[in-house]
Amino acid sequence: MTENIHWTWESVFPAPAKLNLFLHVIGRRDDGYHLLQTLFRFVDHGDSLRFTPRRDGAIHLTSPLPGVPIDSDLTVRAARLLQAESGCAHGVDIHLVKRLPMGGGLGGGSSDAATVLLALNHLWQLGLSRLRLQEIGLQLGADVPVFIFGENAFAEGLGEALQPVDVPPAWYVVLEPPVLVPTATIFGAPELERNTAPIRVIDWKPGVGKNDLEPVTAARYPAVAEHLRWLSAFGEARMTGSGACVFSVWQQREDAQAVIEHLPEHMRGWIAVGLDRHPLHALIA
């Protein structure tokens, strides 16, 4: 996924996955929301979207996801919210190619929504700023703003307070356990540790931190625990988000490829290179 400044209605717009290189739960607010610290890293594997203009103002998803009502789909909600916030009367057909699993911790739905906001802001020539799009994205979910922010980021608060971070080049082996993990269930688990000591962004380096959600998810979903055990035989493995996907970090593509070549037939996985920026970062000056 490389940046391209010539995005048009004929373009295929990427929606890359994210990995949480660490994820700490450092507290809980009175309203029940958790206070987090995490490091978001984009990788060059994800969904993709195309857009076709409509003159009737309607928002239409051409390939609805099984089990997801149209009005609940994040791509449709993002387009409608952008219309409402900008006063835009244009409509669009959204063509989504889904590669990232639902409930996988890779940010697939959030990334799709962010790509809709970024692409339609450009195609509809709305001229909204990056910050304004982040504010709109936050109404759709806490992970949406980082994809609009467009840089690998240290995130705090509910995950929306972002600082850019330079992450060293790396390759990732990502495995997809065949389960859908509901984020709310994991965050609501009574056994979840919620008192990890905060760290400063200046103190982060690769390998620092852990995923506080991992023990809860692995205990409740044996498939996640199985994939973690298998991947850990080759190097340190950890979970991204609230799961289910797990990953390991490698310096060379050849090393990552060697791991994937040993993958058992009943497991699904892929390799991806880390990105310095979201491939649509240049859409906003």
Side-chain angles (χ1 to χ4, degrees):
M1 291 184 182
T2 58
E3 289 191 356
N4 179 347
I5 61 173
H6 303 294
W7 300 98
T8 70
W9 286 103
E10 286 71 44
S11 299
V12 176
F13 291 80
K18 60 82 175 169
L19 297 174
N20 297 93
L21 300 190
F22 79 92
L23 200 167
H24 293 168
V25 183
I26 64 173
R28 195 175 192 177
R29 302 192 321 193
D30 292 341
D31 61 8
Y33 282 99
H34 290 79
L35 298 174
L36 309 176
Q37 288 188 324
T38 190
L39 198 293
F40 288 108
R41 211 290 154 81
F42 304 126
V43 298
D44 73 335
H45 179 84
D47 300 338
S48 59
L49 297 98
R50 292 185 301 105
F51 303 93
T52 305
R54 296 177 65 104
R55 296 181 179 180
D56 59 3
I59 304 297
H60 179 236
L61 180 63
T62 62
S63 50
L65 299 176
V68 180
I70 289 294
D71 290 343
S72 300
D73 190 283
L74 278 173
T75 60
V76 173
R77 290 177 58 204
R80 289 176 177 170
L81 186 57
L82 188 61
Q83 281 181 324
E85 295 286 340
S86 66
C88 176
H90 298 306
V92 71
D93 285 333
I94 301 172
H95 314 277
L96 171 65
V97 176
K98 196 72 182 157
R99 300 183 184 91
L100 300 177
M102 297 174 64
L106 298 170
S110 295
S111 186
D112 295 341
T115 289
V116 169
L117 294 176
L118 289 164
L120 293 183
N121 181 59
H122 173 72
L123 295 172
W124 286 344
Q125 300 180 20
L126 301 179
L128 299 182
S129 69
R130 191 180 307 277
L131 180 58
R132 183 71 187 105
L133 289 178
Q134 287 176 225
E135 293 170 347
I136 294 172
L138 187 58
Q139 299 179 53
L140 299 164
D143 281 353
V144 178
V146 72
F147 291 99
I148 298 167
F149 183 72
E151 300 182 65
N152 299 314
F154 185 90
E156 298 184 274
L158 305 181
E160 82 290 355
L162 304 168
Q163 301 179 62
V165 174
D166 289 328
V167 183
W171 287 83
Y172 300 90
V173 173
V174 182
L175 304 186
E176 300 180 3
V179 293
L180 190 159
V181 177
T183 298
T185 298
I186 304 306
F187 274 108
E191 68 271 27
L192 175 64
E193 294 289 339
R194 299 177 171 89
N195 58 358
T196 296
I199 66 172
R200 300 179 303 167
V201 61
I202 196 173
D203 295 328
W204 181 83
K205 59 183 179 180
V208 166
K210 61 189 188 326
N211 186 332
D212 286 335
L213 308 181
E214 184 178 303
V216 177
T217 303
R220 295 187 175 211
Y221 295 89
V224 175
E226 177 194 9
H227 283 67
L228 279 167
R229 282 194 302 270
W230 185 86
L231 193 54
S232 293
F234 297 88
E236 182 184 3
R238 65 178 58 179
M239 191 178 76
T240 179
S242 57
C245 293
V246 303
F247 68 95
S248 59
V249 187
W250 303 91
Q251 297 307 307
Q252 303 294 330
R253 177 189 174 93
E254 293 77 11
D255 296 330
Q257 186 64 43
V259 175
I260 283 293
E261 288 174 358
H262 287 86
L263 195 66
E265 288 188 3
H266 73 284
M267 291 186 179
R268 173 182 171 87
W270 37 271
I271 65 172
V273 68
L275 300 174
D276 292 331
R277 284 184 163 185
H278 192 290
L280 299 180
H281 187 272
L283 275 182
I284 302 175

